[in-house]
């Protein structure tokens, strides 16, 4: 069975950091800052666009956005590696929690409930 | 060949949003905000910890951190779906860029170069 | 001449931290994380709202937003105190930079130039 | 009595936006994104520094940090103007809340309580 793409990425990112002796900077605290910094850069691409414009990026902008998202994924995978967290498992656990908390029949199209979802 | 874990997650997250008619809220602009909001929650777990403490979380805290990271991954996957971006491909492209920019032999253990890495 | 409101706030916030022996946690690094965490909480109030809705908050929501903004100001003032930075002076210096960079006659109503403004 | 520095700044920032016809971009939603983006840039200055290094910036770095903090203050003042929120009043209200919630005699030097402070 092929290894999963996130596992492969994790292996390559760890080698990248070790080859440069940069693991010393990669405490979970520091990685959380780097991740949030990249999330801030992502925001900057969208902040003056309307929602509709944000869904219709030109090719150049879309590529820049893809690389910002890559940075976020890279730090997320690095952080998971440092804390020995299985990201995919955590995502499915969170999805199960959300499915129990927001039954489809009760929250359909309801922005308020969608928002509560965020406040957890 | 099994589908990749991120593809499976993408499919399930899309179904979750559609079942609740929440796709209307999931513009790229809004998803970038939700992602950054979750990155902020992640920071809050680490902000008063030393770097060493951040690497030695107790089990309860680690689980909360895992669920925050899950939220970030969930919004990242949703955003990639809305923009038709291949996250794994983007991550490898970014890794290639970084490898060309920061040759291991030249930047070993160098915080300043690690930092420049961030400023791109 | 009365002291300025930000100076008074600074004095009171410093006393608050000292009375609790919390200054030990208030390194600039940690304060930057706390500030960004609060900025993330601010985002969460607006992320599923339209731009128009965001300008027409009900009284309860507006009050919650005001308190999030208060947290951001509090951390900004604390950080300025730790780094011995004059916030008002810095704001006017930045405004001068922006006025030179974006002459009103050249950038009127131009989202692209407004966006460049952000990328600095 | 002289006007307060934040009031003066508010007046000048409003004129800056109006002269450029940029108020159309300054919805509270968009301003919250711009503010969070700047908070992310602030993080990037500190993310690979130790706490001690973050308290001992060289003059060039300190000036860059001051200008990032200026951007945060600028967006905070703009947002307060759009929502008709009195920032200083909100900060004092929040300080009162915190003083009631964290009596100095009970929380002295307690990181856990300092952290709860953040979770509100």
């Amino acid at each position: 069975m092929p290894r999963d793409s996130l596992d492969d990425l994790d292996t390559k990112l760890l080698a990248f950091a070790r080859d440069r002796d940069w693991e010393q900077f990669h405490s979970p605290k520091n990685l959380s800052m780097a991740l949030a910094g990249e999330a801030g850069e992502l925001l900057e691409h969208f902040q003056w666009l309307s929602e509709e414009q944000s869904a219709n990026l030109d090719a150049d902008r879309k590529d820049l956005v893809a690389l910002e998202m890559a940075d976020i994924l890279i730090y997320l995978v690095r952080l998971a590696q440092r804390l020995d967290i299985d990201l995919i498992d955590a995502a499915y656990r969170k999805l199960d929690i959300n499915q129990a908390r927001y039954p489809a029949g009760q929250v359909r199209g309801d922005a308020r409930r969608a928002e509560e979802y965020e406040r957890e």
Side-chain angles (χ1 to χ4, degrees), chain A residues 35-50:
Chain A
L35 194 160
E38 299 296 340
E41 293 185 25
L42 184 66
L43 283 176
E44 293 178 348
H45 286 284
F46 295 119
Q47 66 198 9
W48 305 133
L49 302 186
S50 68

Side-chain angles (χ1 to χ4, degrees), chain A residues 8 11 17-18 37-38 43 45 53 59 74 91 99 106 110 120:
Chain A
D8 282 337
T11 302
R18 286 193 172 153
E38 299 296 340
L43 283 176
H45 286 284
Q53 288 170 329
I74 284 170
Q99 279 168 328
Q106 293 175 27
D110 186 336
E120 307 293 325

Side-chain angles (χ1 to χ4, degrees), chain A residues 4-120:
Chain A
D4 195 80
S5 57
L6 279 189
D7 293 322
D8 282 337
L9 183 61
D10 180 40
T11 302
K12 287 193 172 65
L13 292 173
L14 182 57
F16 180 87
R18 286 193 172 153
D19 286 350
R20 283 153 189 78
D21 196 18
W22 283 359
E23 274 203 291
Q24 60 184 308
F25 307 122
H26 287 186
S27 65
K29 181 183 179 97
N30 289 4
L31 289 167
S32 75
M33 296 175 78
L35 194 160
E38 299 296 340
E41 293 185 25
L42 184 66
L43 283 176
E44 293 178 348
H45 286 284
F46 295 119
Q47 66 198 9
W48 305 133
L49 302 186
S50 68
E51 290 186 56
E52 188 178 339
Q53 288 170 329
S54 80
N56 293 285
L57 305 178
D58 65 36
D60 285 352
R61 174 58 59 108
K62 185 176 149 181
D63 197 55
L64 291 172
V65 166
L67 291 176
E68 301 289 9
M69 293 171 69
D71 282 324
I72 293 170
L73 183 62
I74 284 170
Y75 285 122
L76 197 62
V77 168
R78 286 295 296 137
L79 182 56
Q81 191 269 328
R82 290 312 295 257
L83 292 172
D84 194 23
I85 283 171
D86 183 326
L87 271 178
I88 295 292
D89 174 71
Y92 279 109
R93 282 199 296 130
K94 190 61 194 280
L95 186 56
D96 283 346
I97 291 168
N98 291 337
Q99 279 168 328
R101 201 177 268 158
Y102 305 102
Q106 293 175 27
V107 301
R108 193 176 303 280
D110 186 336
R112 191 173 300 274
R113 296 302 299 276
E115 185 187 322
E116 282 175 22
Y117 171 100
E118 291 323 302
R119 310 296 300 170
E120 307 293 325

